Amino acid sequence: MTRTAATLLLALTLAACGGDGGGAAAPPTDAAPLVVAEMVLVDESGTMMYSHRDHWHGFPVVPAGRQLALQQFFVARSSGGDDHEPPPRGEWFSLAAHPDAELRVVVGDTTVGRWSGDKVRGALDGRRAGASVVTYVVRRGATTLKEVPPLNFVVR
């Protein structure tokens, strides 16, 4: 093959592949992955409760007729089945940095307590003495990323 023919073949190949050999711009990617394995709640007095696989360590106690403020954090990895230590604080993250994520909260018995709040902070309202459960579900669009086990709470 002559040098001219080789140059022409290279030029045609580059033109067919998008031009200058630098490649086309990468297509836009979806939002950064959000991995949620466990949840951590911290109440206004600093008491921590955290999910661990299929159960929780700790539970909220809400005064009847009052609110208990809670901050919500998440952890990307679960600890081992026999490791019941709380997740290290350095691994906690908030959903505030994930505008496309949402937190759905459902209270089992709304005559005992109600939920108000957003994906970062919330409050359990103690309506009457009793006990119930609250369920937290992290979603991104139509996809459920994590549903932590139901959390028992008590109103006194």
Side-chain angles (χ1 to χ4, degrees):
M1 179 182 292
T2 67
R3 185 174 180 99
T4 306
T7 304
L8 180 59
L9 182 59
L10 179 61
L12 289 172
T13 303
L14 289 176
C17 291
D20 63 2
T29 59
D30 292 335
L34 174 60
V35 176
V36 176
E38 304 295 352
M39 184 172 189
V40 178
L41 297 172
V42 180
D43 73 14
E44 53 205 28
S45 69
T47 301
M48 177 182 43
M49 297 141 266
Y50 57 96
S51 68
H52 178 239
R53 297 178 177 249
D54 63 351
H55 62 279
W56 280 81
H57 290 265
F59 61 92
V61 177
V62 185
R66 296 193 33 221
Q67 286 188 336
L68 179 67
L70 296 165
Q71 285 187 294
Q72 296 130 194
F73 299 97
F74 300 89
V75 180
R77 66 176 184 90
S78 290
S79 55
D82 293 332
D83 181 5
H84 295 275
E85 293 298 314
R89 177 79 169 113
E91 294 182 15
W92 300 6
F93 65 88
S94 162
L95 293 180
H98 301 275
D100 57 339
E102 66 178 284
L103 182 66
R104 292 189 182 175
V105 182
V106 177
V107 175
D109 184 347
T110 57
T111 67
V112 173
R114 287 211 177 147
W115 174 261
S116 60
D118 57 30
K119 63 186 179 182
V120 177
R121 291 179 187 78
L124 276 169
D125 298 315
R127 303 199 69 207
R128 67 168 177 84
S132 188
V133 296
V134 61
T135 303
Y136 297 91
V137 180
V138 179
R139 295 182 55 89
R140 178 179 253 168
T143 303
T144 296
L145 300 177
K146 179 69 177 178
E147 180 173 350
V148 295
L151 170 64
N152 296 315
F153 71 92
V154 175
V155 177
R156 295 188 183 144

